[in-house]
Structures are given as structure tokens and as C-alpha cells.
PDB file of all heavy atoms in Angstrom:
ATOM      1  N   ASN A  89     199.695  79.829 -25.773  1.00  0.00           N
ATOM      2  CA  ASN A  89     200.972  79.649 -26.540  1.00  0.00           C
ATOM      3  C   ASN A  89     200.771  80.265 -27.933  1.00  0.00           C
ATOM      4  O   ASN A  89     199.707  79.900 -28.672  1.00  0.00           O
ATOM      5  CB  ASN A  89     201.209  78.150 -26.650  1.00  0.00           C
ATOM      6  CG  ASN A  89     202.562  77.895 -27.643  1.00  0.00           C
ATOM      7  OD1 ASN A  89     203.439  78.732 -27.562  1.00  0.00           O
ATOM      8  ND2 ASN A  89     202.458  76.856 -28.271  1.00  0.00           N
ATOM      9  N   LYS A  90     201.565  81.191 -28.352  1.00  0.00           N
ATOM     10  CA  LYS A  90     201.250  81.956 -29.569  1.00  0.00           C
ATOM     11  C   LYS A  90     201.950  81.276 -30.867  1.00  0.00           C
ATOM     12  O   LYS A  90     201.429  81.652 -31.949  1.00  0.00           O
ATOM     13  CB  LYS A  90     201.781  83.393 -29.483  1.00  0.00           C
ATOM     14  CG  LYS A  90     203.256  83.556 -29.009  1.00  0.00           C
ATOM     15  CD  LYS A  90     203.502  85.055 -28.826  1.00  0.00           C
ATOM     16  CE  LYS A  90     204.883  85.212 -28.242  1.00  0.00           C
ATOM     17  NZ  LYS A  90     205.305  86.636 -27.982  1.00  0.00           N
ATOM     18  N   PHE A  91     202.815  80.343 -30.650  1.00  0.00           N
ATOM     19  CA  PHE A  91     203.386  79.728 -31.937  1.00  0.00           C
ATOM     20  C   PHE A  91     204.156  78.461 -31.530  1.00  0.00           C
ATOM     21  O   PHE A  91     204.513  78.279 -30.311  1.00  0.00           O
ATOM     22  CB  PHE A  91     204.268  80.665 -32.656  1.00  0.00           C
ATOM     23  CG  PHE A  91     205.477  81.044 -31.993  1.00  0.00           C
ATOM     24  CD1 PHE A  91     206.687  80.198 -32.045  1.00  0.00           C
ATOM     25  CD2 PHE A  91     205.644  82.213 -31.367  1.00  0.00           C
ATOM     26  CE1 PHE A  91     207.846  80.550 -31.417  1.00  0.00           C
ATOM     27  CE2 PHE A  91     206.910  82.556 -30.685  1.00  0.00           C
ATOM     28  CZ  PHE A  91     207.991  81.692 -30.736  1.00  0.00           C
ATOM     29  N   CYS A  92     204.512  77.659 -32.520  1.00  0.00           N
ATOM     30  CA  CYS A  92     205.550  76.679 -32.282  1.00  0.00           C
ATOM     31  C   CYS A  92     206.398  76.571 -33.570  1.00  0.00           C
ATOM     32  O   CYS A  92     205.840  76.935 -34.666  1.00  0.00           O
ATOM     33  CB  CYS A  92     205.007  75.356 -31.897  1.00  0.00           C
ATOM     34  SG  CYS A  92     204.171  74.383 -33.127  1.00  0.00           S
ATOM     35  N   VAL A  93     207.599  76.191 -33.475  1.00  0.00           N
ATOM     36  CA  VAL A  93     208.404  75.918 -34.647  1.00  0.00           C
ATOM     37  C   VAL A  93     208.789  74.454 -34.804  1.00  0.00           C
ATOM     38  O   VAL A  93     209.429  73.899 -33.889  1.00  0.00           O
ATOM     39  CB  VAL A  93     209.733  76.751 -34.601  1.00  0.00           C
ATOM     40  CG1 VAL A  93     210.638  76.438 -35.806  1.00  0.00           C
ATOM     41  CG2 VAL A  93     209.481  78.284 -34.368  1.00  0.00           C
ATOM     42  N   TYR A  94     208.265  73.857 -35.752  1.00  0.00           N
ATOM     43  CA  TYR A  94     208.235  72.298 -35.816  1.00  0.00           C
ATOM     44  C   TYR A  94     208.754  71.942 -37.160  1.00  0.00           C
ATOM     45  O   TYR A  94     208.255  72.285 -38.193  1.00  0.00           O
ATOM     46  CB  TYR A  94     206.926  71.683 -35.470  1.00  0.00           C
ATOM     47  CG  TYR A  94     206.898  70.162 -35.557  1.00  0.00           C
ATOM     48  CD1 TYR A  94     207.694  69.506 -34.776  1.00  0.00           C
ATOM     49  CD2 TYR A  94     206.037  69.565 -36.470  1.00  0.00           C
ATOM     50  CE1 TYR A  94     207.703  68.058 -34.744  1.00  0.00           C
ATOM     51  CE2 TYR A  94     206.100  68.127 -36.573  1.00  0.00           C
ATOM     52  CZ  TYR A  94     206.816  67.422 -35.652  1.00  0.00           C
ATOM     53  OH  TYR A  94     206.917  66.020 -35.746  1.00  0.00           O
ATOM     54  N   ARG A  95     209.876  71.194 -37.211  1.00  0.00           N
ATOM     55  CA  ARG A  95     210.539  70.714 -38.391  1.00  0.00           C
ATOM     56  C   ARG A  95     210.707  71.834 -39.462  1.00  0.00           C
ATOM     57  O   ARG A  95     210.422  71.674 -40.623  1.00  0.00           O
ATOM     58  CB  ARG A  95     209.720  69.532 -38.993  1.00  0.00           C
ATOM     59  CG  ARG A  95     209.666  68.300 -38.181  1.00  0.00           C
ATOM     60  CD  ARG A  95     208.781  67.189 -38.860  1.00  0.00           C
ATOM     61  NE  ARG A  95     208.891  65.999 -37.944  1.00  0.00           N
ATOM     62  CZ  ARG A  95     208.200  64.857 -38.313  1.00  0.00           C
ATOM     63  NH1 ARG A  95     207.618  64.826 -39.501  1.00  0.00           N
ATOM     64  NH2 ARG A  95     208.286  63.890 -37.443  1.00  0.00           N
ATOM     65  N   GLY A  96     211.237  72.981 -38.886  1.00  0.00           N
ATOM     66  CA  GLY A  96     211.562  74.050 -39.741  1.00  0.00           C
ATOM     67  C   GLY A  96     210.369  75.022 -40.187  1.00  0.00           C
ATOM     68  O   GLY A  96     210.718  75.962 -40.895  1.00  0.00           O
ATOM     69  N   LYS A  97     209.274  74.754 -39.719  1.00  0.00           N
ATOM     70  CA  LYS A  97     208.165  75.519 -40.062  1.00  0.00           C
ATOM     71  C   LYS A  97     207.442  76.161 -38.876  1.00  0.00           C
ATOM     72  O   LYS A  97     207.341  75.586 -37.881  1.00  0.00           O
ATOM     73  CB  LYS A  97     207.106  74.745 -40.909  1.00  0.00           C
ATOM     74  CG  LYS A  97     205.843  75.550 -41.261  1.00  0.00           C
ATOM     75  CD  LYS A  97     204.836  74.662 -42.036  1.00  0.00           C
ATOM     76  CE  LYS A  97     203.551  75.521 -42.441  1.00  0.00           C
ATOM     77  NZ  LYS A  97     202.579  74.682 -43.179  1.00  0.00           N
ATOM     78  N   LYS A  98     207.217  77.470 -38.944  1.00  0.00           N
ATOM     79  CA  LYS A  98     206.529  78.105 -37.821  1.00  0.00           C
ATOM     80  C   LYS A  98     205.100  78.122 -37.978  1.00  0.00           C
ATOM     81  O   LYS A  98     204.513  78.337 -38.997  1.00  0.00           O
ATOM     82  CB  LYS A  98     206.913  79.577 -37.747  1.00  0.00           C
ATOM     83  CG  LYS A  98     206.466  80.345 -36.557  1.00  0.00           C
ATOM     84  CD  LYS A  98     207.010  81.767 -36.392  1.00  0.00           C
ATOM     85  CE  LYS A  98     206.437  82.489 -35.245  1.00  0.00           C
ATOM     86  NZ  LYS A  98     207.128  83.746 -35.126  1.00  0.00           N
ATOM     87  N   TYR A  99     204.378  77.690 -36.875  1.00  0.00           N
ATOM     88  CA  TYR A  99     202.857  77.542 -36.882  1.00  0.00           C
ATOM     89  C   TYR A  99     202.358  78.572 -35.885  1.00  0.00           C
ATOM     90  O   TYR A  99     202.794  78.552 -34.746  1.00  0.00           O
ATOM     91  CB  TYR A  99     202.574  76.074 -36.467  1.00  0.00           C
ATOM     92  CG  TYR A  99     202.820  75.067 -37.544  1.00  0.00           C
ATOM     93  CD1 TYR A  99     204.103  74.358 -37.372  1.00  0.00           C
ATOM     94  CD2 TYR A  99     202.002  74.585 -38.428  1.00  0.00           C
ATOM     95  CE1 TYR A  99     204.550  73.366 -38.260  1.00  0.00           C
ATOM     96  CE2 TYR A  99     202.446  73.538 -39.325  1.00  0.00           C
ATOM     97  CZ  TYR A  99     203.644  72.987 -39.322  1.00  0.00           C
ATOM     98  OH  TYR A  99     203.929  71.926 -40.114  1.00  0.00           O
ATOM     99  N   ASP A 100     201.424  79.328 -36.199  1.00  0.00           N
ATOM    100  CA  ASP A 100     200.897  80.303 -35.331  1.00  0.00           C
ATOM    101  C   ASP A 100     199.793  79.755 -34.496  1.00  0.00           C
ATOM    102  O   ASP A 100     198.987  78.886 -34.981  1.00  0.00           O
ATOM    103  CB  ASP A 100     200.415  81.545 -36.150  1.00  0.00           C
ATOM    104  CG  ASP A 100     201.535  82.343 -36.796  1.00  0.00           C
ATOM    105  OD1 ASP A 100     202.696  82.308 -36.242  1.00  0.00           O
ATOM    106  OD2 ASP A 100     201.394  82.905 -37.776  1.00  0.00           O
ATOM    107  N   ALA A 101     199.517  80.273 -33.412  1.00  0.00           N
ATOM    108  CA  ALA A 101     198.435  80.028 -32.388  1.00  0.00           C
ATOM    109  C   ALA A 101     197.675  78.757 -32.529  1.00  0.00           C
ATOM    110  O   ALA A 101     198.097  77.775 -32.104  1.00  0.00           O
ATOM    111  CB  ALA A 101     197.566  81.289 -32.392  1.00  0.00           C
ATOM    112  N   LYS A 102     196.528  78.844 -33.227  1.00  0.00           N
ATOM    113  CA  LYS A 102     195.641  77.665 -33.341  1.00  0.00           C
ATOM    114  C   LYS A 102     196.281  76.470 -34.053  1.00  0.00           C
ATOM    115  O   LYS A 102     196.195  75.327 -33.452  1.00  0.00           O
ATOM    116  CB  LYS A 102     194.325  78.017 -34.095  1.00  0.00           C
ATOM    117  CG  LYS A 102     193.321  76.875 -34.175  1.00  0.00           C
ATOM    118  CD  LYS A 102     192.826  76.465 -32.881  1.00  0.00           C
ATOM    119  CE  LYS A 102     191.859  75.301 -32.996  1.00  0.00           C
ATOM    120  NZ  LYS A 102     190.759  75.417 -33.851  1.00  0.00           N
ATOM    121  N   GLU A 103     196.971  76.609 -35.142  1.00  0.00           N
ATOM    122  CA  GLU A 103     197.524  75.435 -35.842  1.00  0.00           C
ATOM    123  C   GLU A 103     198.793  74.985 -35.097  1.00  0.00           C
ATOM    124  O   GLU A 103     198.957  73.773 -34.966  1.00  0.00           O
ATOM    125  CB  GLU A 103     197.986  75.956 -37.321  1.00  0.00           C
ATOM    126  CG  GLU A 103     198.397  74.750 -38.182  1.00  0.00           C
ATOM    127  CD  GLU A 103     198.662  75.129 -39.541  1.00  0.00           C
ATOM    128  OE1 GLU A 103     198.727  76.331 -39.852  1.00  0.00           O
ATOM    129  OE2 GLU A 103     198.975  74.279 -40.387  1.00  0.00           O
ATOM    130  N   GLY A 104     199.502  75.958 -34.411  1.00  0.00           N
ATOM    131  CA  GLY A 104     200.548  75.525 -33.571  1.00  0.00           C
ATOM    132  C   GLY A 104     200.041  74.670 -32.359  1.00  0.00           C
ATOM    133  O   GLY A 104     200.769  73.708 -32.030  1.00  0.00           O
ATOM    134  N   ALA A 105     198.992  75.154 -31.820  1.00  0.00           N
ATOM    135  CA  ALA A 105     198.477  74.392 -30.677  1.00  0.00           C
ATOM    136  C   ALA A 105     198.028  72.857 -31.133  1.00  0.00           C
ATOM    137  O   ALA A 105     198.287  72.026 -30.369  1.00  0.00           O
ATOM    138  CB  ALA A 105     197.228  75.161 -30.164  1.00  0.00           C
ATOM    139  N   GLU A 106     197.527  72.749 -32.215  1.00  0.00           N
ATOM    140  CA  GLU A 106     197.182  71.455 -32.716  1.00  0.00           C
ATOM    141  C   GLU A 106     198.399  70.521 -32.870  1.00  0.00           C
ATOM    142  O   GLU A 106     198.386  69.444 -32.516  1.00  0.00           O
ATOM    143  CB  GLU A 106     196.362  71.543 -34.092  1.00  0.00           C
ATOM    144  CG  GLU A 106     195.013  72.239 -33.977  1.00  0.00           C
ATOM    145  CD  GLU A 106     194.414  72.573 -35.345  1.00  0.00           C
ATOM    146  OE1 GLU A 106     195.056  72.310 -36.345  1.00  0.00           O
ATOM    147  OE2 GLU A 106     193.309  72.992 -35.187  1.00  0.00           O
ATOM    148  N   VAL A 107     199.388  71.112 -33.539  1.00  0.00           N
ATOM    149  CA  VAL A 107     200.643  70.384 -33.694  1.00  0.00           C
ATOM    150  C   VAL A 107     201.271  70.012 -32.267  1.00  0.00           C
ATOM    151  O   VAL A 107     201.676  68.737 -32.113  1.00  0.00           O
ATOM    152  CB  VAL A 107     201.761  71.280 -34.505  1.00  0.00           C
ATOM    153  CG1 VAL A 107     203.056  70.485 -34.521  1.00  0.00           C
ATOM    154  CG2 VAL A 107     201.216  71.410 -35.906  1.00  0.00           C
ATOM    155  N   LEU A 108     201.396  70.992 -31.398  1.00  0.00           N
ATOM    156  CA  LEU A 108     201.876  70.781 -30.088  1.00  0.00           C
ATOM    157  C   LEU A 108     201.212  69.674 -29.318  1.00  0.00           C
ATOM    158  O   LEU A 108     201.833  68.771 -28.797  1.00  0.00           O
ATOM    159  CB  LEU A 108     201.881  72.036 -29.323  1.00  0.00           C
ATOM    160  CG  LEU A 108     202.439  72.021 -27.810  1.00  0.00           C
ATOM    161  CD1 LEU A 108     203.929  71.529 -27.752  1.00  0.00           C
ATOM    162  CD2 LEU A 108     202.241  73.288 -27.132  1.00  0.00           C
ATOM    163  N   ILE A 109     199.929  69.855 -29.199  1.00  0.00           N
ATOM    164  CA  ILE A 109     199.101  68.772 -28.495  1.00  0.00           C
ATOM    165  C   ILE A 109     199.265  67.319 -29.160  1.00  0.00           C
ATOM    166  O   ILE A 109     199.348  66.428 -28.321  1.00  0.00           O
ATOM    167  CB  ILE A 109     197.622  69.201 -28.377  1.00  0.00           C
ATOM    168  CG1 ILE A 109     197.500  70.478 -27.578  1.00  0.00           C
ATOM    169  CG2 ILE A 109     196.744  68.047 -27.777  1.00  0.00           C
ATOM    170  CD1 ILE A 109     196.177  71.144 -27.658  1.00  0.00           C
ATOM    171  N   GLU A 110     199.167  67.274 -30.289  1.00  0.00           N
ATOM    172  CA  GLU A 110     199.266  65.975 -31.033  1.00  0.00           C
ATOM    173  C   GLU A 110     200.554  65.338 -30.702  1.00  0.00           C
ATOM    174  O   GLU A 110     200.670  64.086 -30.348  1.00  0.00           O
ATOM    175  CB  GLU A 110     199.122  66.115 -32.543  1.00  0.00           C
ATOM    176  CG  GLU A 110     199.296  64.843 -33.258  1.00  0.00           C
ATOM    177  CD  GLU A 110     199.211  64.901 -34.762  1.00  0.00           C
ATOM    178  OE1 GLU A 110     199.170  66.069 -35.303  1.00  0.00           O
ATOM    179  OE2 GLU A 110     199.344  63.907 -35.507  1.00  0.00           O
ATOM    180  N   ASN A 111     201.704  66.129 -30.757  1.00  0.00           N
ATOM    181  CA  ASN A 111     203.053  65.531 -30.538  1.00  0.00           C
ATOM    182  C   ASN A 111     203.206  65.242 -28.976  1.00  0.00           C
ATOM    183  O   ASN A 111     203.884  64.249 -28.598  1.00  0.00           O
ATOM    184  CB  ASN A 111     204.040  66.445 -31.007  1.00  0.00           C
ATOM    185  CG  ASN A 111     204.276  66.569 -32.451  1.00  0.00           C
ATOM    186  OD1 ASN A 111     203.622  65.794 -33.175  1.00  0.00           O
ATOM    187  ND2 ASN A 111     205.138  67.402 -32.960  1.00  0.00           N
ATOM    188  N   GLN A 112     202.646  66.007 -28.117  1.00  0.00           N
ATOM    189  CA  GLN A 112     202.629  65.756 -26.681  1.00  0.00           C
ATOM    190  C   GLN A 112     202.065  64.375 -26.458  1.00  0.00           C
ATOM    191  O   GLN A 112     202.643  63.502 -25.718  1.00  0.00           O
ATOM    192  CB  GLN A 112     202.118  66.809 -25.879  1.00  0.00           C
ATOM    193  CG  GLN A 112     202.836  68.050 -25.875  1.00  0.00           C
ATOM    194  CD  GLN A 112     202.038  69.300 -25.297  1.00  0.00           C
ATOM    195  OE1 GLN A 112     200.764  69.199 -25.278  1.00  0.00           O
ATOM    196  NE2 GLN A 112     202.628  70.302 -24.538  1.00  0.00           N
ATOM    197  N   LEU A 113     200.827  64.247 -26.810  1.00  0.00           N
ATOM    198  CA  LEU A 113     200.084  62.985 -26.575  1.00  0.00           C
ATOM    199  C   LEU A 113     200.686  61.776 -27.268  1.00  0.00           C
ATOM    200  O   LEU A 113     200.746  60.690 -26.657  1.00  0.00           O
ATOM    201  CB  LEU A 113     198.652  63.153 -26.921  1.00  0.00           C
ATOM    202  CG  LEU A 113     197.941  64.336 -26.180  1.00  0.00           C
ATOM    203  CD1 LEU A 113     196.394  64.406 -26.536  1.00  0.00           C
ATOM    204  CD2 LEU A 113     198.068  64.318 -24.741  1.00  0.00           C
ATOM    205  N   LYS A 114     201.073  61.924 -28.452  1.00  0.00           N
ATOM    206  CA  LYS A 114     201.783  60.815 -29.101  1.00  0.00           C
ATOM    207  C   LYS A 114     203.030  60.463 -28.408  1.00  0.00           C
ATOM    208  O   LYS A 114     203.426  59.213 -28.330  1.00  0.00           O
ATOM    209  CB  LYS A 114     202.138  61.246 -30.573  1.00  0.00           C
ATOM    210  CG  LYS A 114     200.951  61.217 -31.525  1.00  0.00           C
ATOM    211  CD  LYS A 114     201.231  61.709 -32.901  1.00  0.00           C
ATOM    212  CE  LYS A 114     202.429  61.080 -33.574  1.00  0.00           C
ATOM    213  NZ  LYS A 114     202.843  61.712 -34.851  1.00  0.00           N
ATOM    214  N   GLY A 115     203.740  61.461 -27.964  1.00  0.00           N
ATOM    215  CA  GLY A 115     204.996  61.185 -27.181  1.00  0.00           C
ATOM    216  C   GLY A 115     204.809  60.346 -25.876  1.00  0.00           C
ATOM    217  O   GLY A 115     205.423  59.495 -25.513  1.00  0.00           O
ATOM    218  N   LEU A 116     203.726  60.905 -25.272  1.00  0.00           N
ATOM    219  CA  LEU A 116     203.422  60.191 -23.906  1.00  0.00           C
ATOM    220  C   LEU A 116     203.010  58.688 -24.178  1.00  0.00           C
ATOM    221  O   LEU A 116     203.468  57.740 -23.438  1.00  0.00           O
ATOM    222  CB  LEU A 116     202.341  60.859 -23.150  1.00  0.00           C
ATOM    223  CG  LEU A 116     202.685  62.293 -22.579  1.00  0.00           C
ATOM    224  CD1 LEU A 116     201.404  62.876 -21.964  1.00  0.00           C
ATOM    225  CD2 LEU A 116     203.739  62.097 -21.604  1.00  0.00           C
ATOM    226  N   GLU A 117     202.231  58.565 -25.189  1.00  0.00           N
ATOM    227  CA  GLU A 117     201.893  57.217 -25.558  1.00  0.00           C
ATOM    228  C   GLU A 117     202.979  56.326 -25.861  1.00  0.00           C
ATOM    229  O   GLU A 117     203.057  55.108 -25.613  1.00  0.00           O
ATOM    230  CB  GLU A 117     200.884  57.260 -26.743  1.00  0.00           C
ATOM    231  CG  GLU A 117     200.209  55.895 -27.049  1.00  0.00           C
ATOM    232  CD  GLU A 117     199.262  56.014 -28.077  1.00  0.00           C
ATOM    233  OE1 GLU A 117     199.279  56.838 -29.033  1.00  0.00           O
ATOM    234  OE2 GLU A 117     198.287  55.141 -28.195  1.00  0.00           O
ATOM    235  N   ARG A 118     203.966  56.889 -26.740  1.00  0.00           N
ATOM    236  CA  ARG A 118     205.148  56.218 -26.998  1.00  0.00           C
ATOM    237  C   ARG A 118     206.020  55.823 -25.870  1.00  0.00           C
ATOM    238  O   ARG A 118     206.533  54.750 -25.866  1.00  0.00           O
ATOM    239  CB  ARG A 118     206.026  57.033 -27.990  1.00  0.00           C
ATOM    240  CG  ARG A 118     207.399  56.550 -28.342  1.00  0.00           C
ATOM    241  CD  ARG A 118     207.426  55.400 -29.264  1.00  0.00           C
ATOM    242  NE  ARG A 118     208.735  54.910 -29.582  1.00  0.00           N
ATOM    243  CZ  ARG A 118     209.490  54.184 -28.741  1.00  0.00           C
ATOM    244  NH1 ARG A 118     208.956  53.671 -27.614  1.00  0.00           N
ATOM    245  NH2 ARG A 118     210.713  53.788 -29.072  1.00  0.00           N
ATOM    246  N   LEU A 119     206.175  56.692 -24.910  1.00  0.00           N
ATOM    247  CA  LEU A 119     207.093  56.509 -23.785  1.00  0.00           C
ATOM    248  C   LEU A 119     206.397  55.772 -22.537  1.00  0.00           C
ATOM    249  O   LEU A 119     207.089  55.267 -21.717  1.00  0.00           O
ATOM    250  CB  LEU A 119     207.757  57.795 -23.278  1.00  0.00           C
ATOM    251  CG  LEU A 119     208.640  58.391 -24.339  1.00  0.00           C
ATOM    252  CD1 LEU A 119     209.099  59.869 -23.938  1.00  0.00           C
ATOM    253  CD2 LEU A 119     209.998  57.529 -24.359  1.00  0.00           C
ATOM    254  N   GLY A 120     205.143  55.731 -22.588  1.00  0.00           N
ATOM    255  CA  GLY A 120     204.487  55.008 -21.449  1.00  0.00           C
ATOM    256  C   GLY A 120     204.906  53.561 -21.446  1.00  0.00           C
ATOM    257  O   GLY A 120     204.867  52.860 -22.506  1.00  0.00           O
ATOM    258  N   GLY A 121     205.158  53.092 -20.293  1.00  0.00           N
ATOM    259  CA  GLY A 121     205.623  51.632 -20.193  1.00  0.00           C
ATOM    260  C   GLY A 121     206.996  51.307 -20.605  1.00  0.00           C
ATOM    261  O   GLY A 121     207.345  50.237 -20.666  1.00  0.00           O
ATOM    262  N   MET A 122     207.739  52.388 -20.851  1.00  0.00           N
ATOM    263  CA  MET A 122     209.202  52.132 -21.291  1.00  0.00           C
ATOM    264  C   MET A 122     210.205  52.282 -20.152  1.00  0.00           C
ATOM    265  O   MET A 122     211.358  52.391 -20.431  1.00  0.00           O
ATOM    266  CB  MET A 122     209.480  53.127 -22.431  1.00  0.00           C
ATOM    267  CG  MET A 122     208.676  52.908 -23.781  1.00  0.00           C
ATOM    268  SD  MET A 122     208.793  51.278 -24.372  1.00  0.00           S
ATOM    269  CE  MET A 122     210.529  51.396 -24.957  1.00  0.00           C
ATOM    270  N   GLY A 123     209.694  52.318 -18.834  1.00  0.00           N
ATOM    271  CA  GLY A 123     210.638  52.375 -17.725  1.00  0.00           C
ATOM    272  C   GLY A 123     210.762  53.903 -17.184  1.00  0.00           C
ATOM    273  O   GLY A 123     211.327  53.970 -16.088  1.00  0.00           O
ATOM    274  N   LEU A 124     210.239  54.808 -17.867  1.00  0.00           N
ATOM    275  CA  LEU A 124     210.348  56.099 -17.262  1.00  0.00           C
ATOM    276  C   LEU A 124     209.257  56.383 -16.214  1.00  0.00           C
ATOM    277  O   LEU A 124     208.147  55.849 -16.472  1.00  0.00           O
ATOM    278  CB  LEU A 124     210.201  57.189 -18.381  1.00  0.00           C
ATOM    279  CG  LEU A 124     211.296  57.212 -19.435  1.00  0.00           C
ATOM    280  CD1 LEU A 124     210.930  58.168 -20.600  1.00  0.00           C
ATOM    281  CD2 LEU A 124     212.553  57.723 -18.793  1.00  0.00           C
ATOM    282  N   THR A 125     209.470  57.178 -15.228  1.00  0.00           N
ATOM    283  CA  THR A 125     208.532  57.715 -14.396  1.00  0.00           C
ATOM    284  C   THR A 125     208.061  59.095 -14.999  1.00  0.00           C
ATOM    285  O   THR A 125     208.925  59.947 -15.202  1.00  0.00           O
ATOM    286  CB  THR A 125     208.995  57.795 -12.968  1.00  0.00           C
ATOM    287  OG1 THR A 125     209.359  56.582 -12.474  1.00  0.00           O
ATOM    288  CG2 THR A 125     207.763  58.386 -12.012  1.00  0.00           C
TER     289      THR A 125
END
């Protein structure tokens, strides 16, 4: 993945990967046990 755009800011490659992974895992932790499969 070469970039992400998060809260109005574009993050390239490595920094964007860090932002993406952090939000993915935090999101899964937040939604786990909330009734979703």
C-alpha cells in the first residue's frame, strides 16, 4: 500500500502503513464482542 489519506492528511508508504494497521487493529478490538460476525 503506497499511501493513506486519514483525517485530511496524506501519509506515504511506511507512515501510512503504521496509521492503517493501528486503526485496523483498534477497530477490531472496539467491535469485537459487539454482536458482529
Side-chain angles (χ1 to χ4, degrees):
N89 176 36
K90 56 187 175 179
F91 70 83
C92 74
V93 179
Y94 180 60
R95 295 184 178 178
K97 180 178 178 180
K98 185 174 181 178
Y99 297 86
D100 292 330
K102 179 66 185 301
E103 192 175 8
E106 292 171 354
V107 172
L108 176 61
I109 292 168
E110 178 183 2
N111 286 355
Q112 289 171 330
L113 300 185
K114 282 170 55 180
L116 289 177
E117 185 176 28
R118 168 73 180 84
L119 288 169
M122 297 300 290
L124 294 171
T125 301

